[in-house]
């Protein structure tokens, strides 16, 4: 009878140990949480440079660029004042000079600013938690987590680089994680 009583106790202890697991093993939930925390202080953006101040446009060759600035003006991100309009002699092309000013509404999108240009966010990437994470344990205290980041375009997206590397609405990125006995898992640079 003593054997029958001890067997359930041993089975319960074994189940508790299996359920608790090893602190150094990493779950998908923990990896996503750590990557999300890392991205809060180290966001990923696509950027472009825009000019402001006195900017010259040609009617034909700069039509798309001028339309981009006019879209920003409608959104309240810049103000535009026509300074000069000149029709070239014996040409079908005209030139325009605008005074373009950044407004307070553009502040969250401006990363760097010089006298005549600003680096602006054209897209921001956010963690797609529904996409999960592919985890590869690379050692006792190290792991790699590959996650999906979804792209959210800003109102400055018209100024983004056009090309074949810019055709997806997401990216896959791999982060290295390390286990610290005091703080747990964390993303390393």
């Amino acid at each position: 009878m003593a054997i029958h009583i001890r067997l359930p106790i041993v089975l319960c202890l074994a189940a508790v140990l299996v359920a608790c697991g090893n602190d150094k093993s990493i779950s998908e939930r923990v990896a996503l949480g750590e990557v999300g925390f890392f991205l809060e202080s180290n966001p990923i953006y696509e950027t472009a440079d825009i000019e402001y101040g006195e900017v010259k446009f040609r009617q034909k060759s700069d039509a798309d660029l001028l339309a981009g600035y006019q879209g920003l003006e409608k959104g309240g991100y810049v103000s535009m004042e026509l300074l000069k309009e000149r029709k070239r002699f014996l040409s079908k092309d005209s030139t325009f000079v605008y005074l373009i000013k950044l407004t307070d509404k553009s502040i969250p999108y401006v990363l760097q600013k010089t006298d005549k240009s600003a680096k602006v966010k054209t897209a921001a990437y956010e963690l797609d938690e529904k996409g999960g994470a592919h985890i590869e344990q690379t050692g006792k205290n190290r792991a790699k987590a590959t996650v999906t980041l979804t792209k959210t375009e800003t109102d400055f997206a018209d100024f983004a680089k056009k090309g074949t590397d810019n055709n997806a609405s997401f990216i896959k990125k791999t982060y290295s994680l390390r286990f610290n006995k005091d703080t747990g898992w964390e993303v390393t640079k």
Side-chain angles (χ1 to χ4, degrees), residues 3-18:
I3 295 176
H4 294 295
I5 294 173
R6 288 186 186 158
L7 186 61
I9 292 172
V10 171
L11 289 175
C12 284
L13 285 174
V16 168
L17 290 174
V18 169

Side-chain angles (χ1 to χ4, degrees), residues 43-179:
I44 297 176
Y45 303 114
E46 286 183 10
T47 62
D49 292 324
I50 63 167
E51 293 182 66
Y52 64 95
E54 286 191 21
V55 181
K56 185 177 183 178
F57 299 96
R58 291 189 178 87
Q59 186 176 13
K60 288 184 179 180
S61 60
D62 296 330
D64 291 340
L65 185 61
L66 182 58
Y69 277 103
Q70 289 169 338
L72 290 178
E73 183 181 34
K74 286 179 186 173
Y77 298 103
V78 299
S79 64
M80 295 176 64
E81 177 186 340
L82 181 63
L83 297 178
K84 294 181 206 171
E85 179 178 356
R86 193 174 96 190
K87 174 101 170 124
R88 291 182 145 189
F89 184 68
L90 297 175
S91 173
K92 295 180 181 180
D93 201 6
S94 297
T95 59
F96 304 97
V97 177
Y98 281 93
L99 177 61
I100 299 174
K101 296 180 182 178
L102 297 172
T103 65
D104 290 345
K105 191 173 179 181
S106 67
I107 292 172
Y109 301 99
V110 176
L111 298 172
Q112 293 176 341
K113 187 172 151 307
T114 64
D115 294 342
K116 295 186 178 197
S117 68
K119 183 177 289 242
V120 294
K121 302 175 197 175
T122 58
Y125 286 94
E126 297 172 359
L127 180 64
D128 178 16
E129 292 189 21
K130 293 178 185 174
H134 173 71
I135 301 168
E136 179 185 342
Q137 194 99 20
T138 57
K140 290 181 181 178
N141 299 328
R142 297 189 183 274
K144 289 186 178 185
T146 302
V147 297
T148 303
L149 303 175
T150 56
K151 179 178 177 179
T152 306
E153 291 185 342
T154 69
D155 290 330
F156 291 86
D158 289 340
F159 297 89
K161 285 189 304 186
K162 307 294 185 236
T164 57
D165 61 339
N166 204 7
N167 289 332
S169 62
F170 67 94
I171 59 173
K172 291 280 193 178
K173 188 151 174 75
T174 301
Y175 291 92
S176 296
L177 294 109
R178 184 175 57 210
F179 184 78

Side-chain angles (χ1 to χ4, degrees), residues 22-37:
N22 184 354
D23 287 340
K24 292 182 182 180
S25 66
I26 186 167
S27 68
E28 184 176 335
R29 183 182 57 80
V30 170
L32 287 172
E34 288 304 315
V35 170
F37 180 73

